[in-house]
Amino acid sequence: MIEYGGKSVYGGIAVGKIHLMSKSEQQIVKYSIENGDDETERFEAAKKEAGNQLAELYDKAKKEVGEANAAIFEIHQMMLDDDDYLDSIKNIISEQHVNAEYAVGVTADNFSEMFSSMDDAYMKERAADVKDISERIIRILTGADTEKNTSDEPVIILADDLAPSETVQLDKNLVLSFVTVHGSTNSHTAILARTMNIPALIGVNIELSEELEGKMAVVDGFDGIIYIEPDEETLIKMRKRKDDETEKQKLLQELKGKENITKDGKSVLVYANIGNVKDLAYVLKNDAGGIGLFRSEFIYLENKTYPTENEQFQIYKKAAETMAGKRVIIRTLDIGADKQADYFNLDKEENPAMGLRAIRICLTRPEVFKTQLRAIYRASKYGKLAVMYPMITSLEEVKKIKAISSEVKAELDEKNIPYNNIEEGIMIETPAAVMISDMLAKEVDFFSIGTNDLSQYTMAVDRQNPKLDEFFNPHHEAVLRMIEMVCRNAHKENIWVGICGELGADLELTERFLEMGVDELSVSPSYVLPLRNKIRNLDLSK
Ligand code: PEP
Ligand code: MG
């Protein structure tokens, strides 16, 4: 048995086999071939198989994340049939008498270089795609294609780090736990684990060697340990802990359908945070009262180019319909900083967290912003949608946003497209917004406090940097006083205020938040019932 420690980002116990997700590029060996026709035939067969895999991926993604997010696999299928690409590979095979893997590799390098040097942003983006499809073909040719990133039994995923575009390919029913070498507490993997209610460790200093594939392991998300090939004693102990946990979860299930109300009668809204329509299942399963934060940027991150208005409309409509009249707050695009999509072609910045991100991008690219707003407004007819804007620092920004949203509504009116006049709120996640929250409260319908960013900006602690953990105090009095101030200023103007950052799920603070008058707490779906339990056991009169 070998054990490695890491930082737990979600508790629980997982017992199962390890599945490695590695991104390592393949080494291509060049060798001479005798018969060009046979080699071309070998290539054609691999290309056909790649096409089948992409069609399967498309169907899977379409079911799980909708047509818009699945479109990339359709683009890949089309690229596989591109004449120039195919001619180049076949020519290299026949002229240079070399193996297909080598011909595909050279063609991939040439084409991706050509695409990268183009001015057109869309074409630039194709550079990564041509590499992607070529790697798929090479994997098939070399027999390395056991579809390493999928498995047909539930597994513990071990990876360097996971990008949102990688997690979209995973069958979530087959994931027992995430263990990554890198990543931070608020990384996408961590948030996903909380949504899925499975244990996850980050910062595990483990060498990702092939030998680990298929080995039995136990992830202890309570103590932040992964045991590889656990001994009998550890297995028994962990299984017992897992059973205790299941028992606790069962008890929580009894809270479904019950109110979020303290013993002395104070009620509070408990909503859930999602990053994807697929997460709606977890929201319903955990009986959240609504969606307090739909991180819409994942729609952009999971795409290789700007999602269209219609694609977004379908996603927001589905969320509105599924939640059947419960409030669904769509947070507009919060790209930038740690959330990068290449096709935005953002400049590299010294301090990206303080750079061109979120609403700043939307206000400098109004067409991108308006496309999203049109999609949200159109979808508003299908349920109870609300919209909120991230990273606000000034009154001027809010006024500009309101002018743009009025323009969008006027354009919809002109075209006789129906929409509802939905609530418009802002995120309070910068100290500037806190300090002028009295003024901002006069302009909007609600506040949602983003404690993840508010904490990083207040304590000057980069939320992505695990080395700063010892300097990060989630209960820092400065942040708590800010939350209190925001609540006071919101209520003076009769608007409601919620918390949608990770702090909202911190049960040690629930009592204090309720005393401050927080109206809504929006947490990862798996935290909804524990939070309800906490609220129901509080007595604020004492
Ligand atoms: C926050 O900053 O607290 C928040 C909820 O937004 P995100 O984590 O997506 O930046
Ligand atoms: Mg934020």
Side-chain angles (χ1 to χ4, degrees):
M1 175 171 87
I2 312 175
E3 56 178 270
Y4 295 89
K7 185 169 179 203
S8 172
V9 288
Y10 194 68
I13 304 284
V15 182
K17 285 188 185 157
I18 289 178
H19 183 56
L20 278 173
M21 268 186 77
S22 61
K23 279 192 243 193
S24 59
E25 284 202 11
Q26 311 161 70
Q27 292 296 321
I28 301 170
V29 184
K30 178 185 178 184
Y31 57 86
S32 304
I33 45 117
E34 300 257 307
N35 187 326
D37 288 346
D38 285 356
E39 195 62 10
T40 306
E41 222 169 87
R42 196 165 79 87
F43 163 70
E44 288 286 4
K47 178 192 155 256
K48 192 165 167 221
E49 172 58 21
N52 293 342
Q53 287 182 359
L54 288 167
E56 258 174 47
L57 274 176
Y58 174 77
D59 287 345
K60 181 165 175 288
K62 194 169 153 191
K63 255 186 248 139
E64 289 181 354
V65 291
E67 215 165 323
N69 295 326
I72 186 57
F73 299 118
E74 222 174 16
I75 296 178
H76 280 193
Q77 277 172 274
M78 285 189 310
M79 290 180 84
L80 262 189
D81 286 322
D82 181 81
D83 283 340
D84 293 335
Y85 176 73
L86 296 178
D87 287 348
S88 163
I89 294 169
K90 288 177 191 167
N91 269 333
I92 293 174
I93 294 175
S94 61
E95 299 296 320
Q96 300 180 32
H97 304 285
V98 288
N99 55 321
E101 292 87 333
Y102 178 76
V104 176
V106 171
T107 302
D109 287 346
N110 293 344
F111 275 56
S112 75
E113 214 170 280
M114 177 180 74
F115 284 134
S116 305
S117 63
M118 290 182 173
D119 285 336
D120 182 282
Y122 179 82
M123 294 313 288
K124 255 191 197 332
E125 188 50 43
R126 304 281 74 83
D129 294 324
V130 80
K131 282 237 171 210
D132 212 343
I133 57 162
S134 304
E135 273 166 21
R136 183 175 294 281
I137 299 174
I138 294 168
R139 271 202 307 272
I140 297 168
L141 283 167
T142 54
D145 188 60
T146 37
E147 264 305 312
K148 286 178 58 184
N149 293 343
T150 55
S151 165
D152 46 19
E153 63 176 320
V155 284
I156 294 166
I157 298 277
L158 189 54
D160 187 55
D161 199 2
L162 290 167
S165 55
E166 289 167 313
T167 57
V168 76
Q169 293 201 37
L170 292 170
D171 181 344
K172 307 294 183 293
N173 295 318
L174 299 179
V175 181
L176 296 171
S177 168
F178 292 114
V179 177
T180 63
V181 178
H182 293 106
S184 64
T185 317
N186 290 323
S187 63
H188 176 60
T189 314
I191 289 172
L192 189 64
R194 283 180 210 126
T195 303
M196 292 168 62
N197 198 3
I198 57 171
L201 310 182
I202 56 168
V204 179
N205 193 7
I206 182 170
E207 199 180 319
L208 300 177
S209 89
E210 287 289 332
E211 285 158 29
L212 292 170
E213 179 71 26
K215 280 203 170 146
M216 193 63 193
V218 174
V219 179
D220 175 355
F222 298 110
D223 292 337
I225 298 172
I226 174 167
Y227 300 92
I228 300 191
E229 298 191 310
D231 55 30
E232 204 47 36
E233 195 189 327
T234 311
L235 255 181
I236 292 171
K237 197 170 106 195
M238 289 298 146
R239 286 215 165 102
K240 159 97 181 51
R241 217 161 164 192
K242 190 171 159 60
D243 290 346
D244 292 349
E245 184 57 24
T246 311
E247 204 46 47
K248 247 195 241 162
Q249 294 288 338
K250 252 195 227 145
L251 285 176
L252 283 175
Q253 294 303 309
E254 288 169 16
L255 291 175
K256 279 189 179 176
K258 301 221 165 117
E259 286 179 282
N260 307 302
I261 190 162
T262 62
K263 285 186 191 302
D264 54 321
K266 165 130 182 108
S267 49
V268 60
L269 300 169
V270 177
Y271 288 177
N273 296 345
I274 62 167
N276 205 301
V277 274
K278 232 181 333 169
D279 298 340
L280 289 169
Y282 301 108
V283 175
L284 298 178
K285 192 169 148 213
N286 289 286
D287 193 33
I291 290 168
L293 167 64
F294 183 157
R295 290 183 161 97
S296 73
E297 59 275 9
F298 282 102
I299 302 169
Y300 294 73
L301 291 176
E302 288 161 8
N303 261 291
K304 295 256 163 152
T305 186
Y306 293 102
T308 64
E309 176 184 326
N310 239 347
E311 287 165 346
Q312 292 192 62
F313 163 69
Q314 294 298 345
I315 293 170
Y316 304 143
K317 173 171 172 268
K318 185 164 183 181
E321 284 174 342
T322 309
M323 291 306 290
K326 290 178 178 159
R327 197 190 260 138
V328 176
I329 306 176
I330 315 243
R331 192 256 304 274
T332 58
L333 178 63
D334 185 8
I335 213 109
D338 56 311
K339 297 176 191 141
Q340 293 288 341
D342 291 347
Y343 60 89
F344 274 78
N345 284 315
L346 297 172
D347 289 337
K348 267 221 155 333
E349 296 173 304
E350 283 286 323
N351 284 310
M354 297 194 206
L356 196 62
R357 60 170 288 203
I359 202 65
R360 299 173 181 173
I361 294 181
C362 290
L363 290 175
T364 45
R365 300 186 187 192
E367 260 325 303
V368 173
F369 192 31
K370 283 173 86 173
T371 302
Q372 180 171 34
L373 288 180
R374 269 196 304 274
I376 295 173
Y377 274 108
R378 280 174 55 199
S380 67
K381 273 307 243 187
Y382 297 85
K384 188 178 178 187
L385 287 193
V387 62
M388 72 176 170
Y389 308 104
M391 275 293 292
I392 297 297
T393 53
S394 74
L395 204 56
E396 290 69 38
E397 281 165 346
V398 175
K399 290 197 170 148
K400 275 188 203 154
I401 293 167
K402 285 170 78 177
I404 294 175
S405 109
S406 299
E407 256 173 58
V408 166
K409 286 192 266 184
E411 284 163 19
L412 292 175
D413 284 337
E414 226 169 80
K415 292 186 187 151
N416 282 323
I417 298 174
Y419 61 88
N420 287 344
N421 264 316
I422 58 179
E423 286 176 296
E424 281 185 278
I426 54 171
M427 291 195 66
I428 302 287
E429 48 186 351
T430 65
V434 172
M435 297 313 289
I436 57 165
S437 51
D438 54 337
M439 293 147 88
L440 294 170
K442 296 186 201 313
E443 300 292 329
V444 295
D445 300 313
F446 66 92
F447 285 157
S448 187
I449 306 175
T451 50
N452 307 336
D453 278 313
L454 185 59
S455 301
Q456 91 164 332
Y457 294 130
T458 305
M459 287 179 259
V461 169
D462 176 358
R463 64 190 264 195
Q464 292 298 118
N465 185 347
K467 290 195 191 122
L468 296 177
D469 277 359
E470 62 176 301
F471 300 100
F472 178 72
N473 170 9
H475 295 183
H476 200 297
E477 196 53 32
V479 176
L480 297 176
R481 285 187 199 181
M482 284 188 177
I483 297 172
E484 192 165 23
M485 180 175 182
V486 173
C487 289
R488 244 190 347 258
N489 285 333
H491 292 154
K492 258 190 232 158
E493 295 300 331
N494 293 317
I495 66 168
W496 64 267
V497 54
I499 297 178
C500 65
E502 299 295 299
L503 209 57
D506 190 326
L507 302 184
E508 284 176 39
L509 293 172
T510 312
E511 184 165 4
R512 187 140 178 211
F513 289 152
L514 295 199
E515 276 165 0
M516 290 178 188
V518 170
D519 302 290
E520 174 243 24
L521 291 164
S522 190
V523 297
S524 291
S526 58
Y527 285 138
V528 168
L529 294 176
L531 181 56
R532 178 170 300 161
N533 187 39
K534 176 76 190 182
I535 295 165
R536 293 175 65 86
N537 282 303
L538 285 177
D539 186 348
L540 302 177
S541 67
K542 283 193 178 148

